[in-house]
Amino acid sequence: MTLLKALGGAAIVALAALTSVDAMAAGNGKLIVIITPPHNNPFFATEADGAEAKAKELGYETLVLSHDDDASKQNQLIDTAIARKAAAIILDNAGADASIEAVQKAKTAGIPSFLIDREINKTGIAVAQIVSNNYQGATLGGQEFAKRMGEKGPYAELTGKESDTNAGIRSKGYHDVIDQFTDLKPVAKQSANWSQTEAYSKMESMLQAHPEIKGVISGNDTMAMGASAALQAAHRGDVIVVGFDGSNDVRDQIKAGKIAATVLQPAFQIAQLAVEQADAYLAKGSTGKPEKQSIDCVLITKDNAGKLNNFTLAK
């Protein structure tokens, strides 16, 4: 008589259920862990939603986490993914240098990582790094900004986190265009760390120091929203504001004539693409794509803002 027969039917059912729970807790090769910055930024919330929806569509369990732009917390979450024996990790990382160790740790544990939105400063440890073409997008934004400014006047710039490679790339793209117009004069430049609240405060200070400001170019939409709110509070509706991301909030501000333009980076599409490539890699051992992949951005103005929803532009 086998042990299972001796245990009886009820015990077999209980044992099967326990085995199922243990398998799920361990991932069982069907768990995708999705880790992004905080979801109070709609861009990152959209990434998480897109990745989760695609993973579930493909038959995976999901675990959605946020590192809150804290590299130490990110390390802990990678440990969680390893402990759960995740099949793959979708990661919008917490710093180009600070995240290398975490991605390497996942690789050493046999878990492939698929990076979205932000690159790390090392190749060969993530399977894929899929990002928006931040430089191309910034040149679009810079061109529109110069046009709206009439190619002249004093302006301010709000930049993102210094640890985020995208902040520097976008600023460079802006300046490679704007600096060609010698009558466009930069009078203030500060980091607001991708934060709406911080951007509001920085914009207030900039206006006090430079009331002559006629334009603000921002490294992301969240900071653009903060700048726009500060400008409206100061009754400075004459100041041109351009953002970067393609959020619904800025879309609505564009339609209302309070923000001039933004640059759409397709967060939802990129997140879903990462999951599709993770699925291909798990099935075949290859994505069939290079590690570094770049997706072009699209300029959003009043002409096409009505087609934009959740970082996706309708055709």
Side-chain angles (χ1 to χ4, degrees), residues 10 24 123 139 218 248:
M24 185 174 292
T123 58
T139 61
S218 173
N248 283 6

Side-chain angles (χ1 to χ4, degrees), residues 255-275:
K255 291 166 75 174
K258 295 176 180 177
I259 290 180
T262 187
V263 175
L264 167 65
Q265 49 172 345
F268 193 86
Q269 175 192 350
I270 288 173
Q272 294 215 321
L273 185 61
V275 175

Side-chain angles (χ1 to χ4, degrees), residues 197-309:
T197 303
E198 196 171 338
Y200 186 99
S201 175
K202 294 289 176 69
M203 191 71 250
E204 282 186 319
S205 299
M206 287 176 172
L207 281 175
Q208 290 170 4
H210 301 282
E212 73 277 14
I213 285 174
K214 296 295 183 184
V216 180
I217 193 155
S218 173
N220 79 343
D221 278 355
T222 308
M223 296 188 300
M225 287 293 292
S228 179
L231 290 164
Q232 290 172 49
H235 306 289
R236 290 298 307 275
D238 60 307
V239 178
I240 300 297
V241 179
V242 170
F244 196 114
D245 274 344
S247 72
N248 283 6
D249 288 339
V250 165
R251 172 203 66 192
D252 294 344
Q253 292 276 297
I254 291 172
K255 291 166 75 174
K258 295 176 180 177
I259 290 180
T262 187
V263 175
L264 167 65
Q265 49 172 345
F268 193 86
Q269 175 192 350
I270 288 173
Q272 294 215 321
L273 185 61
V275 175
E276 289 171 353
Q277 291 189 15
D279 183 56
Y281 183 83
L282 293 170
K284 305 173 185 176
S286 171
T287 65
K289 304 285 184 181
E291 177 182 337
K292 292 283 190 94
Q293 300 169 52
S294 181
I295 309 297
D296 278 352
C297 300
V298 179
L299 181 69
I300 303 296
T301 66
K302 217 165 189 177
D303 292 340
N304 60 354
K307 297 179 179 180
L308 178 63
N309 188 44

Side-chain angles (χ1 to χ4, degrees), residues 168-181:
I169 292 173
R170 291 175 195 174
S171 184
K172 179 176 178 6
Y174 287 153
H175 283 280
D176 281 354
V177 172
I178 296 170
D179 292 354
Q180 297 178 53
F181 303 97

